[in-house]
Amino acid sequence: MGPENGPDATRKKIFVKTYGCQMNVYDSARMVDVMAPSGYTEVDQPEDADIVILNTCHIREKAAEKVYSELGCLRDLKKEKSGRGENLVIGVAGCVAQAEGEEIRRRAPVVDLVLGPQTYHRLPEYVGRLSNGGPGIVETDFPADDKFETLPAPERRKTLARGATAFLTIQEGCDKFCTFCVVPYTRGAEFSRPVTRILDEARALADAGVREITLLGQNVNAYHGDDGKGAAASLGHLIRRLAGIDGIERLRYTTSHPRDMDDELIAAHAEVPELMPYLHLPVQSGSDRILAAMNRRHDAESYIRLVERIRAANPGIAMSSDFIVGFPGETEQDFEATLALIREVGYAQAYSFKYSPRPGTPASAEEDQLPEEIKSERLQRLQALLGEQQIAFNRACAGSTMSVLFDRRGRSESQLVGRSPYLQSVHIDDAPESLFGQIVDVVVEEGYRNSLRGRLLETDSVPA
Ligand code: SAH
Ligand code: SF4
Ligand code: F3S
């Protein structure tokens, strides 16, 4: 709330709470952008807001339940505010909104607005209707007008405040239909943004001080956007174009599907220095039987060979993955195949989940659902192994020098935290303020489970 915003009381305020994946983080930022021309600024707690939006995730059961409990708290806040003669618009966006639609307003009548991930560019119009006393709105269509064409450029001040790293959605939706997953239903069919639009947005981010961009998509490497010459550009091609933008020094992308890692993309890992040596490539399971039941369209062997090809292109690359344990019908033998794959690949980092049946997905209708105890026990064993690998990877970094992009403050005033090329958090003490948003060489002194501690390579080369 700087002085340039004028008196506080005349501004309208929006609070967006984000659940789920990075796509939602990006969408939340764009919801704030889209409301800016109507005079809204972002606040960081619901008590201060005129509009509260929960941008939700439906990937696991717990994610949706959290939303309903949060709506309970918001009902009390709305009552309290209305006692003071203030209005509060409550919206639910994102994947729970898409999946549950009307049901949300039935279960939580306090909700004014339900809008799916493809319709949030219409937020100003909906808020306008609600502010004029209009009835509640539920909008979960996949409209023909492309939301990306309607959205304003990323708001400059906001982007700057968020620092030197940013997300940029280049692809949305998924046509893969893994049998456990709701994403193809909540985000719809695969869609790629045209190359020129992405380049424009990346230039705007670079102008606003962003140094590192993470390209986003539920199936980001299935990207096939219009290249402006009537052909489809691959992700490898797009990455080369983005690497040419002044100021963009680092690129990443997530999440990839093993089936879509083409030669051009693998070559980019060898040849584009801006592309960071870290790859999140979910495998989910190491058992061919389970991979088939999941409809993953790859087996364990082909995944391992793929990782070998990627490492041949860039030997230093750090691998990451997602795993699901306790998929219906998973035997102890299947689970051990997953442990074996993890040992063979060696991960720097990974996410792992207990299988959670999602309504409407094929796997949720399977009869051989596993008991909770078995899922928990396997998850524990899996995480113990992944934890060992992560610590080993981080410890092995001690003594090396790596470039770190400093993007946030640490626990103490004088501590700064940044990102290594391998997406580790690196903190240094007694750090000069001037390092903010800079990429500098750091000598790693110690590796921990979730982070690294280092010191500046040459203190006299710190930018003024
Ligand atoms: N598009 C990405 C990831 C989508 S969701 C991909 O294809 O890998 C992120 C992760 O959530 C998935 O990789 C999977 O590990 C996990 N997940 C998805 N549905 C799940 C479910 N029903 N139960 C447990 N984990 C799930
Ligand atoms: Fe879900 Fe599979 Fe699509 Fe990933 S590839 S979003 S896990 S259906
Ligand atoms: Fe969740 Fe939707 Fe992302 S279900 S993981 S917010 S695509």
Side-chain angles (χ1 to χ4, degrees), residues 69-240:
S69 83
E70 185 82 11
L71 285 171
C73 303
L74 288 176
R75 187 188 49 215
D76 298 341
L77 180 65
K78 187 164 177 146
K79 218 184 268 168
E80 204 182 299
K81 277 189 174 258
S82 101
R84 292 198 299 266
E86 294 167 16
N87 191 23
L88 177 66
V89 171
I90 298 178
V92 177
C95 293
V96 175
Q98 188 64 43
E100 308 234 315
E102 295 278 358
E103 178 64 18
I104 295 178
R105 275 174 45 85
R106 265 196 291 274
R107 254 183 91 171
V110 70
V111 172
D112 302 293
L113 174 62
V114 176
L115 80 168
Q118 307 307 340
T119 50
Y120 64 78
H121 56 296
R122 297 185 184 162
L123 198 51
E125 174 198 330
Y126 297 148
V127 169
R129 268 156 56 185
L130 289 165
S131 306
N132 290 327
I137 298 167
V138 177
E139 175 60 276
T140 52
D141 285 350
F142 290 99
D145 53 337
D146 173 10
K147 74 175 175 227
F148 291 107
E149 295 299 307
T150 324
L151 290 168
E155 213 219 321
R156 198 183 156 80
R157 214 172 340 104
K158 212 54 243 176
T159 312
L160 274 173
R162 291 216 171 97
T165 61
F167 291 127
L168 201 176
T169 295
I170 65 166
Q171 179 279 335
E172 272 204 81
C174 181
D175 297 341
K176 296 275 192 303
F177 291 91
C178 301
T179 55
F180 52 83
C181 184
V182 290
V183 169
Y185 311 98
T186 59
R187 294 276 173 166
E190 221 173 65
F191 160 84
S192 297
R193 297 177 67 191
V195 170
T196 51
R197 295 284 184 275
I198 295 167
L199 293 176
D200 287 347
E201 194 168 326
R203 282 189 206 101
L205 291 170
D207 286 349
V210 169
R211 295 287 153 266
E212 175 178 310
I213 294 181
T214 302
L215 307 173
L216 297 181
Q218 268 90 18
N219 245 286
V220 73
N221 57 344
Y223 177 81
H224 57 277
D226 183 350
D227 70 352
K229 297 184 200 115
S234 69
L235 180 59
H237 172 87
L238 178 69
I239 284 171
R240 286 174 199 269

Side-chain angles (χ1 to χ4, degrees), residues 59-60 180 218 255 282 284 322 324 353-354 356 358:
I59 203 82
R60 283 171 291 278
F180 52 83
Q218 268 90 18
T255 297
Q284 313 296 356
D322 293 341
I324 294 178
F353 313 99
K354 285 189 256 188
S356 159
R358 307 314 293 125

Side-chain angles (χ1 to χ4, degrees), residues 277-279 311 316-321 323 342 345-351 385-395 397 420 422-424 448-451:
Y278 171 92
L279 179 59
R311 283 185 168 145
I317 205 158
M319 295 300 302
S320 162
S321 178
F323 295 93
I342 294 172
V345 172
Y347 289 97
Q349 197 276 141
Y351 302 94
L385 176 60
L386 290 168
E388 270 171 38
Q389 293 193 341
Q390 184 169 354
I391 291 180
F393 180 80
N394 288 348
R395 286 197 181 140
C397 292
S420 79
Y422 311 109
L423 210 54
Q424 297 144 302
Y448 309 102
R449 161 118 202 199
N450 292 313
S451 65

Side-chain angles (χ1 to χ4, degrees), residues 397-404 406 426-428 440-447 452-459:
C397 292
S400 68
T401 299
M402 47 175 79
S403 67
V404 175
F406 286 99
V426 185
H427 47 95
I428 59 169
V440 287
D441 280 341
V442 166
V443 180
V444 177
E445 293 187 315
E446 205 164 345
L452 306 176
R453 179 175 53 78
R455 66 179 156 77
L456 296 178
L457 180 61
E458 292 166 57
T459 31

Side-chain angles (χ1 to χ4, degrees), residues 48-76:
D48 299 336
D50 305 290
I51 306 175
V52 172
I53 292 177
L54 305 182
N55 195 13
T56 61
C57 174
H58 203 240
I59 203 82
R60 283 171 291 278
E61 200 175 354
K62 271 192 194 139
E65 284 315 309
K66 265 193 231 160
V67 171
Y68 283 110
S69 83
E70 185 82 11
L71 285 171
C73 303
L74 288 176
R75 187 188 49 215
D76 298 341

